[in-house]
Amino acid sequence: NAGVTQTPKFQVLKTGQSMTLQCAQDMNHNSMYWYRQDPGMGLRLIYYSASEGTTDKGEVPNGYNVSRLNKREFSLRLESAAPSQTSVYFCASSERWGGDTTGELFFGEGSRLTVL
Amino acid sequence: ELKVEQNPLFLSMQEGKNYTIYCNYSTTSDRLYWYRQDPGKSLESLFVLLSNGAVKQEGRLMASLDTKARLSTLHITAAVHDLSATYFCAVRVHNAGNMLTFGGGTRLMVKP
């Protein structure tokens, strides 16, 4: 059982280049998330998708776009990368919020992005 | 705006000692989570605390939640080197859907 799978694991970009981070989960979860992690700042939510067909902005959405391709896949796109977007990006998934569900997030291994 | 603060940010301790990590948050919440992260790795779920007074224990780690004080603690008993990692708390805001807000993390180093 793979859980949450992210690709690529490492990427180096030049300022202004574009790229897409891919994320897939095999736990039949409804909700998916993209976080970024910077030293000393914990994790900050970029975008999330509560269910297939919906996406919402998180705390730091500027410079990013997302696509919930289907229930399994949630991609994050940087249209014009900037050095400030150098970070480690984590995809996560959870059961849909509500009822008896815990809302616990399950994380992928992370994608380390450097923008020069 | 929800703020989640952890302290200390860094903790160096000897094996066999006890210590507590604190997680304070600024608004009403109905779920609190603790995660562990090893260097260069993903985040692993440790505890989910669902109500006021909830206490959960796993091995040398025990987490508790006081929703009235907006405080959660992660207590380490008789620390061992394998507990060295960064620990994060995360809070779900009441009636704010699926969004979790994370604290800045506590880096724990346990020395032999």
Side-chain angles (χ1 to χ4, degrees):
Chain A
N1 197 346
V4 180
T5 303
Q6 295 180 229
T7 57
K9 288 186 169 42
F10 300 93
Q11 184 73 47
V12 178
L13 292 177
K14 295 181 179 179
T15 296
Q17 287 185 318
S18 63
M19 77 158 298
T20 300
L21 299 176
Q22 307 285 355
C23 175
Q25 52 91 9
D26 62 3
M27 294 177 283
N28 200 35
H29 285 163
N30 284 295
S31 301
M32 298 185 73
Y33 315 79
W34 278 105
Y35 283 87
R36 62 178 287 174
Q37 184 177 31
D38 301 296
M41 299 189 72
L43 280 79
R44 292 182 293 168
L45 182 64
I46 305 171
Y47 271 93
Y48 72 102
S49 172
S51 60
E52 186 179 355
T54 69
T55 61
D56 287 285
K57 295 179 180 179
E59 182 183 357
V60 289
N62 291 343
Y64 304 95
N65 286 301
V66 291
S67 295
R68 183 73 183 267
L69 304 171
N70 47 56
K71 189 173 184 178
R72 291 187 62 247
E73 298 173 289
F74 188 38
S75 63
L76 178 72
R77 183 161 178 84
L78 287 69
E79 291 291 352
S80 180
S84 62
Q85 294 178 305
T86 294
S87 188
V88 180
Y89 292 84
F90 285 97
C91 178
S93 69
S94 74
E95 297 169 314
R96 185 173 176 79
W97 169 245
D100 293 332
T101 63
T102 67
E104 182 181 6
L105 266 59
F106 295 85
F107 286 86
E109 292 293 313
S111 298
R112 189 175 297 273
L113 175 65
T114 301
V115 183
L116 302 175
Chain B
E1 179 188 348
L2 172 63
K3 293 189 184 302
V4 182
E5 295 184 348
Q6 289 181 234
N7 69 83
L9 298 181
F10 179 75
L11 177 57
S12 179
M13 57 192 299
Q14 296 293 126
E15 280 192 331
K17 299 293 187 182
N18 303 332
Y19 209 83
T20 300
I21 299 170
Y22 297 89
C23 174
N24 292 273
Y25 54 97
S26 62
T27 191
T28 302
S29 170
D30 50 9
R31 295 283 193 275
L32 191 136
Y33 307 82
W34 284 96
Y35 287 87
R36 168 181 172 147
Q37 185 180 36
D38 293 305
K41 301 294 185 181
S42 184
L43 283 82
E44 172 191 358
S45 178
L46 294 175
F47 300 108
V48 181
L49 302 171
L50 302 178
S51 61
N52 187 43
V55 177
K56 290 200 172 180
Q57 184 163 5
E58 180 74 31
R60 301 174 187 274
L61 299 177
M62 182 174 72
S64 65
L65 177 61
D66 182 344
T67 58
K68 294 179 181 178
R70 297 177 183 170
L71 171 69
S72 180
T73 60
L74 180 66
H75 186 73
I76 303 154
T77 302
V80 293
H81 179 68
D82 284 352
L83 290 179
S84 297
T86 299
Y87 293 85
F88 292 94
C89 65
V91 176
R92 182 183 301 278
V93 176
H94 186 60
N95 288 334
N98 288 352
M99 294 176 61
L100 290 193
T101 299
F102 281 76
T106 297
R107 185 179 170 196
L108 172 67
M109 185 178 297
V110 181
K111 298 179 179 179

